[in-house]
Amino acid sequence: MMNSARNFSSTPKIKTRSSSSTHKGSPWLNVLLPYCEQPEIFSNKVVYYYDDGIVIIWDKYPKAKIHLLVMPRQKIDSIEDLRKQDLNLIEILKRKGQQIIDHFKENDPNLVFRMGFHAIPSLRQLHMHVISQDFISSTLSTKKHWNSFTTSFFKDVEEIEMLLKEKGQIKFDKDYYENLLKSPLNCHLCDAKEFKNIPTLKKHLEEHLNSDR
DNA sequence: GTTCTAGAAC
DNA sequence: GTTCTAGAAC
Ligand SMILES: Nc1ncnc2c1ncn2[C@@H]1O[C@H](COP(=O)(O)O)[C@@H](O)[C@H]1O
Ligand SMILES: [Zn+2]
């Protein structure tokens, strides 16, 4: 009965599209892809730089005064997809990231930067954060935001590079790192710990900005 | 990842 | 009463 001619012709359960992860999951997972596929269609206030190998964009929801994302043009989902053969790509991301940092420090020598990756990224397409360490930004609004940049959830590019050299592959424990995001709100610059909430922490960060110079 | 908002915390 | 967080979003 299931194989009647009528049933057969109605709805073929045949996958017609690539099973690439691009086609799986919620649409928001893929929002970084268009920048890499067609950087030329974006304004220079959105795409900071691009060439044949990489794209650099201003993070749309910056978590600090200066926050950009450096990405390969080539489609690579995440750090988990990196292999030793990608070490030269990492080197390129790193070199370009350092150039950005040098540039912004010329304007403001007080800026301090880190560049690296989230241990468990949310969005697809490999992206390296280049982020100033003031964390002064109206779009930094949650504990998760804070802990993703100030705990070991944030992996400096040098650590990624080292792990890739030594292990040939990168995978961080999901449970462990997702729990880190629930850590208390501690200052990344001084001994101040366990802020009651985000607004209180943000007032404290303003004080560092005024005194650390 | 963000937006929205119910209800917890103050 | 207002501020703030945290979980659903089909
Ligand atoms: N549409 C977008 N365009 C540019 N950046 C984005 C967009 N949506 C989210 N982001 C940023 O992308 C980063 C992704 O974070 P993560 O996957 O945790 O490394 C965050 O810093 C977001 O602010
Ligand atoms: Zn502090």
Side-chain angles (χ1 to χ4, degrees), chain A residues 31 35 57 59-61 63 67 69 118 121-123 127 129:
Chain A
V31 293
Y35 302 115
I57 64 169
D59 194 292
K60 190 173 180 184
Y61 308 94
K63 308 305 187 295
H67 186 183
L69 304 177
H118 280 160
S122 293
L123 299 185
H127 53 280
H129 295 269

Side-chain angles (χ1 to χ4, degrees), chain A residues 68-85:
Chain A
L68 303 100
L69 304 177
V70 185
M71 302 181 279
R73 293 290 298 272
Q74 177 192 357
K75 199 166 135 186
I76 301 177
D77 264 9
S78 78
I79 46 176
E80 290 194 6
D81 298 296
L82 294 172
R83 298 297 180 268
K84 283 190 182 172
Q85 70 225 26

Side-chain angles (χ1 to χ4, degrees), chain A residues 74-179:
Chain A
Q74 177 192 357
K75 199 166 135 186
I76 301 177
D77 264 9
S78 78
I79 46 176
E80 290 194 6
D81 298 296
L82 294 172
R83 298 297 180 268
K84 283 190 182 172
Q85 70 225 26
D86 300 309
L87 276 166
N88 49 46
L89 169 64
I90 299 302
E91 203 54 46
I92 291 168
L93 300 182
K94 194 172 147 186
R95 188 180 335 123
K96 206 68 199 179
Q98 190 57 53
Q99 273 181 30
I100 304 174
I101 292 172
D102 294 343
H103 170 75
F104 284 107
K105 286 187 80 129
E106 264 175 45
N107 270 350
D108 184 353
N110 288 315
L111 289 172
V112 175
F113 286 88
R114 283 178 82 182
M115 49 178 165
F117 301 81
H118 280 160
I120 313 290
S122 293
L123 299 185
R124 285 177 192 146
Q125 184 64 354
L126 183 72
H127 53 280
M128 182 180 74
H129 295 269
V130 174
I131 183 165
S132 62
Q133 296 296 295
D134 46 84
F135 297 116
I136 304 286
S137 168
S138 59
T139 40
L140 195 168
S141 58
T142 70
K143 172 180 269 195
K144 184 172 178 178
H145 290 156
W146 177 253
N147 284 326
S148 76
F149 288 102
T150 60
T151 68
S152 68
F153 190 91
F154 189 86
K155 299 299 185 189
D156 290 307
V157 62
E158 290 80 6
E159 179 176 349
I160 295 299
E161 206 170 20
M162 224 182 54
L163 286 170
L164 202 52
K165 270 184 194 149
E166 288 175 359
K167 315 231 177 211
Q169 196 164 340
I170 291 160
K171 188 172 180 77
F172 295 108
D173 186 82
K174 201 165 184 239
D175 283 347
Y176 173 81
Y177 282 99
E178 282 180 351
N179 268 306

